[in-house]
Amino acid sequence: MIKAAAYCRVSTERDEQLNSLANQQQFFRQYIQQQPDWELTDIYVDEGASGTAVNHRRGFLKMLADGKAGKFQILLTKEISRFARNTLDSIYYTRKLKEWGIGVIFLNDNINTLDADAELRLTIMASIAQEESRKTSERVKWGQKRQMEKGIVFGHSLLGYQLRQGALEVEETGAAVVRQIFDKFVREGKGASLIARELTAAGIPTPSGGQEWSHNVVLKILKNQKYMGDLVQKKTYTPSYLTHKKKVNRGEEPFIVLKQHHPAIISPALFAKAAAILQERGRRQREGSRYSQSYGLSGKLYCSQCGNRLVARTKKRGEKTYLYWQCYGKIKKGAAACACPTISQVYLEQILLQAMAVQLRPIIAAEERRQRMAAFYGGIQQVLQQDGNDKRQQEQWADRLSQLEREQEKLLHIYLQGQIGEDLFTRKNGSYQEMIRKLQEQIRSHQLAGKVLDTEKSRRDKMEQIMGCCEEILAGAVYREDFYREIVEKIIIEGKEQMTIFFKGVSHAVQYQG
């Protein structure tokens, strides 16, 4: 007896397609039963799966695995387009099956891969199927673009909006959270990380239904034009109809922008203020990065009066060099511009030792000491990475990559606002893409060379160091720069003897008043 199997596929899960699938399966059962020396082993099925790639076709992959294991000798399928719409896939997988002693019979196309001229005929028919797939893809994209131009929204619901039949409707519970985020950011001057902590502490669910907010989620909300009533579509695109992989649209395809498309949750003026603040903070961050990043607190000290960072300065007294911190706003515009005091490194170290003692002593004194200490360490653990020159090199590259992406995003923003033409945007955007590509390749090659080690052992060793440092701090030990580099998120300087300290992995801040 010859063991025979069948493969059938439909590209959508619509009722008529599923009926077609059921009919195909019934046909194959009857066809194989009518062959006197054939025995049906299995029918492999894919529902709602594209024929241009096999990665997500479970039935197809199981068929290949069973074929390699010798579970059947003949495979039936309706036509080449059901087997694959990618010419290379059609040839590759029929050759593989032939290597395993399996012939593929395409009934409608009258092709049996065991015949001498089968591959030539298969190549011609598969090319036709692939071209039809390309034309279908182009028709679908054209239709979607026309619908987008008419204001039909593609995508999914988001915080503050429900998507119903292609239209955005305000969902008031989520809209209140969006207004709260913009109010905290613009009117209260809070950063994305602090807003995320406050939302988490308030028990407000994230847009995905989670419990813990991140600063990235807050930033995405602050940058989303939908909240001021504008609709920007084609932010992603699919370069190839064969892979179906989406990419961020950085000007490769025209955007579709519709002003005042749907009810706004916040005013355009408030959105513009938020955008201006984000742009200014990005500028300050870039300017601040020109100063030394070699100290444990570099980039972590902020002036509460003007919002600028404090940057490291040194001065010599005899044989000794002293480190102190000065507001960048005062450096740039003069002492009259900001009253932020100059803070010595020694003074900061004393304050941090006291702050950590305040943070840890209640935990040590509690009855559930071990559990709460473990929770505290666990919060810190998520920020641990390898120390040393390699880490700093990675951080510098990551900062540069973020800077390029921010500049590219700004270019996209001014293009969407109509401030520059398409030719200038395309030229500058191409330049950014090339710089980003080269930097990404440099980072990847560095990682492949084994210069970034993030093994379980290194994390475990680092965890032991953290725990040891905490014990030393409680015992009144000296300041450890590597320890504070890891666990301090930021310090807001409100005065010489008044500061607010935020530790990574800890939900509340420590207030210091001398």
Side-chain angles (χ1 to χ4, degrees), residues 286-317:
R286 293 191 295 274
E287 290 176 343
S289 66
R290 294 203 300 264
Y291 294 89
S292 173
Q293 295 291 312
S294 60
Y295 302 107
L297 298 177
S298 293
K300 300 179 186 291
L301 304 175
Y302 291 86
C303 172
S304 66
Q305 299 181 45
C306 68
N308 282 287
R309 289 185 182 184
L310 275 70
V311 296
R313 288 284 193 258
T314 58
K315 59 183 176 183
K316 294 197 71 173
R317 287 181 181 172

Side-chain angles (χ1 to χ4, degrees), residues 361-373:
R361 275 180 187 143
I363 298 174
I364 297 293
E367 293 181 4
E368 64 272 22
R369 175 187 183 279
R370 182 169 297 177
Q371 290 85 351
R372 296 188 67 186
M373 282 293 283

Side-chain angles (χ1 to χ4, degrees), residues 429-441:
N429 186 62
S431 176
Y432 279 124
Q433 283 183 310
E434 180 63 18
M435 288 189 287
I436 289 172
R437 184 189 64 78
K438 288 181 178 179
L439 187 56
Q440 288 173 334
E441 287 181 356

Side-chain angles (χ1 to χ4, degrees), residues 4-5 12 52 55 60 70 108 116 124 207 221 225 269 274 326 362 381 397 425 452 479 489:
T12 70
T52 52
N55 297 348
F60 191 90
N108 288 5
I124 295 171
I221 291 171
Q225 299 97 333
Q326 197 168 20
Q381 189 176 17
W397 283 339
F425 170 76
V452 177
Y479 176 84
E489 180 174 324

